[in-house]
Amino acid sequence: MYEMLTGPFFWISMLVFWIGLLVRAILYIRGLDWQLDRVAYRAHPKIGAKFALRSIGFWLLPFGTQGWKKQPYMTVAFFLFHVGAVLVPLFLIAHNIFLENKIGFSLFTMDQGVADFLTWAVILGTILLILRRIALPEVRILTTAYDYMILVISVAPFITGLIARYHIGDYHFWLMVHIFCGELLLILTPFTKLSHIILFFMSRAQLGMDYGIKRGGMKGEGMAW
Amino acid sequence: MPEGTLCNRKPIQTEADLKRLLSDTGGKEYYRQMKELDIDSDALWNTIQKTCKSRIRTWLEICAHCGMCADSCFIYLVNDRDPTQVPAYKIQSTLGEVIKRKGRVNNAFMHMAMETAWAKCTCCNRCGMYCPHGIDMGVMFGYLRGLLYSQGFVPWELKIGAGMHRVYRAQMDVTEEDWVETCEWMVSENEEELPGLSIPVDKENADILYTVNAREVKHYPEDLAEAAILFHIAGENWTVTSKGWEQTSLAMFAGDWEACKLQVNGVYDAMERLKPKRMIGTECGHAHRATVVEGPYWAGRKDGLPPVKCMHYVEWVAEALRTGKLKIDPAKRIKEPVTIQDSCNYIRNHGLKDITREIVSYIVEPGYFVDMTPNREHNYCCGGGGGFNGISLYRHQRNRALMTKRDQIMSTGASLVIAPCHNCWDAIRDLEEEYKIGIRWSFLKPLLIKMVEIPEHLLPTE
């Protein structure tokens, strides 16, 4: 089983994830239409790029926008969740040892204590996000079972990873469950809302270009997100 | 039942059609027929497949249902945080559903979608600034309006408005002759006090081509006179055009994209024919949005820009005051608590937030200006934008929406509101009528006329 999960399934999940996201990005760009979207994307590349980067950058900063400032609870929950969810899988020592052995390549690694902290933050963030979905009427009306499924799929690798990391129960079993959950997440990403991993950047860049090229960017007065 | 005689999927094409629809007072028969109007699901789905591309599809797909847009929407807030007023809910339950059902929706659904598109969203685009994914629901509601219009589900006044543009190339039944005569009339009314005052028509190569809102011509021509007087005092080399003089577009509010194109092409033709250095439009927000910001795309201009440089009236006023073309008598500056309304269409959606404050710095005595909260690109819609003001069917909802601006104005303590936008001006007038909070409201032109210094050589000789 372990050989299967770290062999063919590892490769399949990696290919589906990376190629899938690349295809989503290409399809997104190909589906942009200057006249229907009413944004002259090609005509003003410089101001477009500047506003695209600003639009992404400010929203990546905790409390960097009016939206984040207005909703501190959401900001905390969101960043607790996303910082760990992005950094831990990439820079965990164990992941990189595995990568080194598998393909002879690894990335910078983070201190194990930091990784533990960030993983707990992901779990705490998930709990806060779920509480918010239940408590606020304006979020409840939007929430569907699918939204909870996405949260479960996203957090499962972190919970199972912690169980294995602390050797609770059968280490080997939980390690396999962890790898399975991680690979499942990678495989589902391009086909679900998890595609926002790439489409967040696309969509933010698009609106940034819209404001830069068409809605006042050339007036030189900036735009406070 | 198939299409009705008044309510149908065909746009207004002739003056006779228009008059027939106008004679149906309040749209009574029109709305009765709408209750029986069938949906052409194939055509609807076909249009969606052709025009709903990756931007909107991605927005609908990746919406995280986080509800961060809720608090950004003044209509949600002013309706006691009714969850069905959350922007994401409003768009997912209308446009999202039409797409999910591949256009197979019924008459009751279309009525619900129409009310949502025109009475629960003013297309102010504020929610787009508060969504982490950058999902602009105002843009999507604009798109939805187009789909609804194509199926005949559009408020009566806006079907008429779009028809006006198709028949008269103006939002009201003002003909070319009416327009030119009004210009002449306004000159004759004022030339005694200002000898040499003129409204040059169809002058080529002028520095400024001035375009207006048909309502000014029809209902308050003194606005046109004031514009002429201010250009005259500033010594501008300006002109108006006999054809393509109307800058507004109720077709944009209606979602009649074909009429939008017809309308804006008329204005662009005038620019190309008269070759002015630049075009300046009157104190109207949506007119600027339609002709300067969105218009180039309807007209198929790949650079996204109009044929000549275009400015909103506030940009010209700021420039004239900055360069001294217009001089303000310091003794006549505004000396009462005053605030300014930021029009969504050229502040949030065309970046002119600092320009209007620069004007304030010249015309208001220091210490008297109080900004609303929130303001600039984060300001709330006046409550009547996107056509909301003009739709009698939704008057009740509109009056409720006005409460946001009422409370914003009241907390500034201002007794005067400067509103350089027709829609905002109307909304503020209506909120004063409805709620009587004791304020006055004004465009910039009448305020400037009262305080500008007239150079001696322009005054009549004894």
Side-chain angles (χ1 to χ4, degrees):
Chain A
M1 192 66 184
Y2 182 80
E3 275 67 43
M4 282 287 280
L5 286 173
T6 55
F9 282 6
F10 167 78
W11 288 113
I12 289 168
S13 62
M14 278 294 164
L15 284 174
V16 170
F17 179 81
W18 290 109
I19 294 175
L21 286 188
L22 184 68
V23 169
R24 294 295 315 245
I26 292 169
L27 287 179
Y28 181 85
I29 294 168
R30 282 185 48 173
L32 291 177
D33 183 307
W34 72 272
Q35 199 166 7
L36 286 171
D37 301 346
R38 306 209 289 261
V39 182
Y41 299 110
R42 285 175 195 277
H44 311 278
K46 248 188 166 166
I47 194 116
K50 185 181 158 200
F51 272 73
L53 290 174
R54 277 172 51 96
S55 164
I56 295 167
F58 281 107
W59 278 93
L60 289 180
L61 281 177
F63 301 103
T65 62
Q66 291 301 314
W68 290 136
K69 282 174 198 161
K70 284 266 174 201
Q71 311 221 8
Y73 176 98
M74 178 58 178
T75 308
V76 170
F78 176 94
F79 282 99
L80 278 177
F81 178 86
H82 278 93
V83 171
V86 172
L87 297 182
V88 175
L90 286 173
F91 304 119
L92 189 77
I93 295 172
H95 286 180
N96 283 288
I97 293 172
F98 172 80
L99 267 188
E100 186 67 50
N101 290 338
K102 189 90 190 160
I103 53 172
F105 167 82
S106 60
L107 298 162
F108 157 84
T109 57
M110 60 167 68
D111 181 77
Q112 186 60 41
V114 175
D116 288 342
F117 176 80
L118 290 178
T119 309
W120 281 110
V122 170
I123 292 163
L124 177 63
T126 307
I127 294 167
L128 294 178
L129 289 173
I130 290 172
L131 288 177
R132 189 174 172 279
R133 282 210 182 277
I134 297 167
L136 301 182
E138 72 266 32
V139 192
R140 210 159 54 223
I141 194 172
L142 295 167
T143 301
T144 61
Y146 180 47
D147 296 317
Y148 284 115
M149 190 190 86
I150 293 291
L151 269 173
V152 169
I153 293 169
S154 311
V155 80
F158 294 88
I159 294 175
T160 53
L162 272 188
I163 294 174
R165 186 249 180 284
Y166 292 121
H167 293 264
I168 300 165
D170 179 351
Y171 170 76
H172 193 70
F173 170 77
W174 284 109
L175 180 67
M176 289 220 288
V177 176
H178 169 68
I179 297 171
F180 174 78
C181 288
E183 290 174 352
L184 186 68
L185 170 74
L186 293 175
I187 288 169
L188 289 175
T189 292
F191 311 103
T192 60
K193 271 188 203 216
L194 292 167
S195 57
H196 80 263
I197 290 173
I198 189 73
L199 294 176
F200 161 84
F201 294 95
M202 296 290 155
S203 176
R204 279 238 65 87
Q206 193 281 329
L207 193 69
M209 291 176 87
D210 189 329
Y211 270 103
I213 291 166
K214 182 173 87 168
R215 292 197 251 172
M218 297 194 215
K219 296 287 175 186
E221 297 188 27
M223 160 82 179
W225 281 104
Chain B
M1 191 184 119
E3 300 178 74
T5 48
L6 296 176
C7 185
N8 50 50
R9 290 187 282 274
K10 293 180 285 289
I12 301 279
Q13 300 285 16
T14 64
E15 199 168 8
D17 283 353
L18 193 55
K19 290 207 163 128
R20 194 170 336 120
L21 191 55
L22 269 168
S23 65
D24 173 29
T25 315
K28 253 191 184 161
E29 175 60 16
Y30 174 83
Y31 286 123
R32 199 196 58 72
Q33 291 181 4
M34 190 184 282
K35 290 225 156 53
E36 289 166 12
L37 181 61
D38 283 337
I39 287 93
D40 184 346
S41 293
D42 292 334
L44 181 56
W45 182 234
N46 198 18
T47 306
I48 290 172
Q49 281 176 303
K50 275 199 209 129
T51 57
C52 188
K53 302 279 199 90
S54 66
R55 176 175 68 162
I56 290 182
R57 283 182 187 268
T58 302
W59 277 345
L60 289 169
E61 184 190 342
I62 66 172
C63 170
H65 296 166
C66 72
M68 280 180 75
C69 53
D71 282 352
S72 73
C73 177
F74 78 103
I75 300 183
Y76 163 79
L77 295 174
V78 83
N79 282 289
D80 304 321
R81 300 177 169 268
D82 175 358
T84 63
Q85 290 278 9
V86 173
Y89 179 80
K90 288 186 274 197
I91 199 69
Q92 295 277 359
S93 62
T94 52
L95 181 60
E97 274 301 303
V98 176
I99 293 175
K100 235 185 246 164
R101 298 191 207 169
K102 296 194 174 10
R104 311 258 157 235
V105 290
N106 62 23
N107 183 289
F109 179 93
M110 293 298 265
H111 270 85
M112 179 278 288
M114 180 174 87
E115 182 174 354
T116 312
W118 278 284
K120 297 184 176 183
C121 178
T122 63
C123 298
C124 80
N125 302 99
R126 193 169 188 268
C127 49
M129 297 185 67
Y130 288 79
C131 170
H133 280 320
I135 300 173
D136 192 327
M137 284 148 277
V139 168
M140 285 199 275
F141 271 112
Y143 176 73
L144 176 65
R145 288 178 177 198
L147 295 180
L148 292 167
Y149 180 88
S150 73
Q151 291 290 320
F153 289 86
V154 57
W156 178 68
E157 289 88 347
L158 290 179
K159 178 96 178 195
I160 292 170
M164 288 282 181
H165 285 289
R166 284 170 174 272
V167 174
Y168 297 105
R169 295 294 184 274
Q171 63 160 277
M172 289 178 169
D173 49 350
V174 178
T175 62
E176 243 175 84
E177 293 74 41
D178 296 337
W179 154 244
V180 174
E181 273 172 26
T182 308
C183 291
E184 287 161 3
W185 172 37
M186 283 301 113
V187 170
S188 64
E189 285 278 306
N190 290 282
E191 64 190 343
E192 221 169 283
E193 283 157 58
L194 274 177
L197 179 73
S198 70
I199 300 182
V201 181
D202 289 336
K203 179 172 157 186
E204 287 182 20
N205 304 308
D207 291 338
I208 293 171
L209 167 67
Y210 181 61
T211 55
V212 302
N213 178 327
R215 285 186 9 170
E216 293 164 355
V217 187
K218 186 146 175 150
H219 294 311
Y220 19 91
E222 61 276 13
D223 191 286
L224 177 62
E226 288 160 354
I229 291 168
L230 289 167
F231 282 142
H232 183 66
I233 295 173
E236 294 286 17
N237 169 20
W238 71 295
T239 187
V240 296
T241 170
S242 56
K243 264 190 196 358
W245 49 272
E246 157 75 302
Q247 206 198 1
T248 72
S249 182
L250 294 184
M252 176 170 77
F253 291 159
D256 182 350
W257 310 127
E258 200 185 32
C260 286
K261 182 177 177 172
L262 290 171
Q263 177 61 40
V264 81
N265 272 338
V267 185
Y268 292 172
D269 286 348
M271 291 181 192
E272 268 153 12
R273 183 165 45 87
L274 299 178
K275 301 179 189 62
K277 287 210 179 73
R278 50 193 189 167
M279 189 276 278
I280 289 164
T282 188
E283 292 175 73
C284 184
H286 96 274
H288 182 79
R289 181 87 177 263
T291 305
V292 181
V293 183
E294 312 288 351
Y297 298 96
W298 297 325
R301 302 183 62 88
K302 285 196 165 174
D303 60 359
L305 300 170
V308 300
K309 186 184 174 186
C310 292
M311 292 163 86
H312 190 271
Y313 197 73
V314 295
E315 291 179 276
W316 177 76
V317 171
E319 177 195 282
L321 291 169
R322 191 187 310 134
T323 55
K325 279 185 194 171
L326 288 180
K327 283 196 182 69
I328 298 294
D329 178 350
K332 292 182 180 164
R333 289 202 286 202
I334 298 169
K335 291 184 200 62
E336 65 178 296
V338 58
T339 189
I340 193 159
Q341 163 62 8
D342 287 314
S343 159
C344 305
N345 279 325
Y346 64 86
I347 303 287
R348 175 157 40 257
N349 288 302
H350 212 211
L352 297 180
K353 56 185 175 178
D354 291 337
I355 287 285
T356 50
R357 269 121 193 121
E358 185 186 350
I359 296 170
V360 163
S361 76
Y362 303 124
I363 66 171
V364 178
E365 188 78 7
Y368 286 94
F369 176 69
V370 192
D371 235 326
M372 289 187 219
T373 314
N375 56 49
R376 299 174 188 237
E377 61 266 71
H378 291 277
N379 191 24
Y380 291 127
C381 166
C382 57
F388 209 2
N389 271 337
I391 306 169
S392 51
L393 184 65
Y394 303 136
R395 183 47 45 97
H396 174 72
Q397 292 94 316
R398 200 285 312 253
N399 284 352
R400 179 146 193 116
L402 294 178
M403 289 162 67
T404 306
K405 191 54 60 187
R406 175 198 69 184
D407 295 346
Q408 260 190 305
I409 293 170
M410 282 172 77
S411 51
T412 63
S415 50
L416 174 65
V417 183
I418 305 173
C421 166
H422 272 272
N423 251 305
C424 300
W425 189 96
D426 281 358
I428 293 164
R429 175 200 60 202
D430 288 359
L431 79 84
E432 175 59 28
E433 261 174 32
E434 184 73 14
Y435 299 110
K436 311 222 170 359
I437 59 170
I439 50 161
R440 288 171 296 112
W441 58 96
S442 179
F443 288 113
L444 279 167
K445 295 183 199 94
L447 296 172
L448 289 166
I449 291 280
K450 271 188 255 167
M451 58 180 91
V452 72
E453 286 176 354
I454 302 173
E456 239 165 69
H457 71 274
L458 293 180
L459 292 169
T461 42
E462 292 308 314

